[in-house]
Amino acid sequence: MSLYFSFQAACFVAIQDTVKHVAVLKKAAISLHYLSNGHQKWVENLPDSDAVQYQAVYSGGEEEVYVLGVVPNSHLTIIAYSLEDGEITKQSSVEAPWLSSVESSCVVVGQGVLMCVDPATLALYTLPMQAEETPQFSQTLLQVLYLSTTATTLSFSDDARYV
């Protein structure tokens, strides 16, 4: 017997440094499952899933799991769900006219900082997802960091070693 699961993204969810759950993102829903037996703890439909392309899920070990979606060349949507019951605890929309895909342009680093690169403007954008106030992207030009970009990589310039 073989099983086939279709999902956009998944992430382990740790509470107090112990992984107990896995969050699974599908096209129009997010669910939380017990890692020990695979049983579903909760499932919630994603808002505006006809317009927003949900592409990533993140958990930083707190009491929430974050879902990231994009309306290409318009804005990024961030939704925080309670690990306890799946209720939306926070929802925000961040202008990002340069962003077309979270999957190919962004990565979460540190404690919930979304880092994205835009090859067209040669800029690095950072966004603290867990900010109390409405989050906004900060832009840093790659040239300032002695970085250059190609279609699939980010590399240091030879000049960076002299800094």
Side-chain angles (χ1 to χ4, degrees):
M1 179 171 133
S2 64
L3 297 174
Y4 176 74
F5 297 100
S6 176
F7 59 92
Q8 302 292 108
C11 76
F12 290 114
V13 178
I15 300 173
Q16 298 175 348
D17 297 329
T18 303
V19 177
K20 294 186 177 182
H21 301 96
V22 62
V24 178
L25 176 65
K26 294 186 178 182
K27 184 175 181 171
I30 180 170
S31 56
L32 191 71
H33 300 263
Y34 293 98
L35 198 56
S36 59
N37 59 18
H39 291 154
Q40 183 174 289
K41 182 174 181 179
W42 53 256
V43 62
E44 293 293 331
N45 290 323
L46 297 167
D48 302 321
S49 59
D50 53 333
V52 178
Q53 297 172 12
Y54 291 100
Q55 299 177 346
V57 61
Y58 165 79
S59 174
E62 301 296 325
E63 299 297 318
E64 298 170 320
V65 61
Y66 294 84
V67 175
L68 306 175
V70 65
V71 174
N73 305 109
S74 177
H75 65 273
L76 175 76
T77 296
I78 304 170
I79 305 172
Y81 290 88
S82 165
L83 291 179
E84 185 60 35
D85 57 13
E87 292 294 316
I88 293 176
T89 58
K90 185 177 177 184
Q91 186 171 356
S92 57
S93 179
V94 183
E95 286 187 36
W98 47 269
L99 185 62
S100 60
S101 171
V102 172
E103 292 172 305
S104 64
S105 301
C106 304
V107 65
V108 178
V109 297
Q111 289 296 313
V113 176
L114 183 67
M115 185 176 289
C116 305
V117 66
D118 178 22
T121 60
L122 298 176
L124 184 68
Y125 292 88
T126 56
L127 177 78
M129 293 190 305
Q130 299 168 337
E132 293 297 319
E133 297 178 17
T134 304
Q136 285 188 308
F137 277 104
S138 297
Q139 181 191 51
T140 304
L141 297 177
L142 295 178
Q143 184 178 15
V144 172
L145 301 173
Y146 295 99
L147 297 172
S148 61
T149 182
T150 63
T152 58
T153 62
L154 186 65
S155 59
F156 285 97
S157 163
D158 287 340
D159 296 336
R161 64 183 164 188
Y162 301 110
V163 175

